[in-house]
């Protein structure tokens, strides 16, 4: 799937709140941008991944006239990804049920518009909202694998790279 050499460009798009219960709605609406931003940070650590420019992604999304609550489907994600020079686009959704968080990310081929893989935190040990940083790290690894890239050569130090969920919530 991925080219033999050179960077693979990935466009990270907003994630949709599919229903979150147990905290204020505003907290989870903010995750629509916070999850992709944190995911982009994780993916940027891979030596063969280059992220598409966020400003260009926002412009391309605005040109689609999706509205504030519209879902980014595979065709739209592919179109935006293609417009910003990405090989792959990643979008998805999340839901929280009183602290049990589920994130689904769709890896979309920007050339064909096909969903290559849907990755999620389906491991029961990675569903506690308090482990949001670890959940996003695991998703980033699955996204890298879905693009055909090898794993990053150095495993991240879990103590060093873990960001407290409260910090991610405030950031979002």
């Amino acid at each position: 799937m991925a080219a033999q050499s050179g960077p693979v460009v990935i466009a990270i798009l907003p994630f949709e709140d599919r229903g979150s219960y147990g905290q204020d709605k505003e907290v989870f609406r903010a995750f629509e941008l916070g999850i992709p931003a944190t995911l982009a940070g994780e993916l940027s650590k891979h030596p063969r991944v280059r992220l598409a420019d966020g400003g260009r992604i926002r412009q391309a999304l605005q040109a689609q006239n999706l509205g504030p609550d519209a879902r980014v489907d595979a065709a739209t994600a592919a179109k935006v990804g293609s417009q910003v020079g990405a090989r792959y686009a990643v979008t998805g959704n999340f839901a929280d049920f009183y602290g049990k968080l589920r994130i689904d990310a769709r890896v979309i081929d920007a050339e064909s518009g096909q969903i290559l893989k849907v990755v999620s935190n389906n491991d029961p040990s990675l569903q506690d909202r308090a482990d949001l940083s670890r959940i996003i790290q695991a998703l980033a690894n699955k996204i890298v694998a879905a693009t055909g890239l090898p794993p990053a050569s150095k495993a991240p130090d879990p103590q060093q790279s873990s960001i407290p969920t409260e910090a991610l919530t405030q950031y979002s």
Side-chain angles (χ1 to χ4, degrees):
M1 287 185 212
Q4 291 292 342
S5 64
V8 172
V9 181
I10 300 175
I12 308 295
L13 308 178
F15 277 52
E16 177 185 14
D17 180 358
R18 300 286 288 171
S20 298
Y21 308 94
Q23 280 201 14
D24 293 334
K25 186 159 183 67
E26 294 78 23
V27 171
F28 292 107
R29 293 293 305 251
F31 278 155
E32 291 176 357
L33 299 175
I35 288 173
T38 308
L39 185 58
E42 284 300 318
L43 288 170
S44 71
K45 295 175 185 176
H46 193 286
R48 297 263 317 273
V49 170
R50 189 171 61 92
L51 298 173
D53 179 69
R56 290 184 61 206
I57 291 171
R58 280 188 295 283
Q59 287 176 339
L61 283 168
Q62 287 173 349
Q64 298 300 311
N65 295 320
L66 297 175
D69 293 326
R71 181 175 181 262
V72 178
D73 63 12
T76 302
K79 191 173 194 179
V80 168
S82 181
Q83 288 174 352
V84 300
R87 175 70 178 93
Y88 302 101
V90 176
T91 188
N93 57 61
F94 62 94
D96 180 283
F97 190 72
Y98 298 101
K100 189 173 181 177
L101 183 66
R102 170 73 180 231
I103 303 175
D104 296 312
R106 297 183 309 279
V107 181
I108 300 154
D109 183 315
E111 293 175 5
S112 71
Q114 296 295 309
I115 297 173
L116 298 176
K117 187 152 185 133
V118 177
V119 299
S120 62
N121 60 317
N122 48 6
D123 178 351
S125 70
L126 277 179
Q127 292 181 350
D128 187 338
R129 183 178 55 230
D131 291 329
L132 182 57
S133 182
R134 286 188 33 227
I135 291 169
I136 291 175
Q137 289 170 349
L139 288 174
N141 291 336
K142 290 178 180 182
I143 291 168
V144 165
T147 65
L149 289 172
S153 59
K154 181 182 172 195
D157 177 1
Q159 298 296 341
Q160 188 176 39
S161 61
S162 183
I163 302 168
T165 298
E166 181 65 27
L168 289 172
T169 301
Q170 293 299 319
Y171 167 74
S172 295

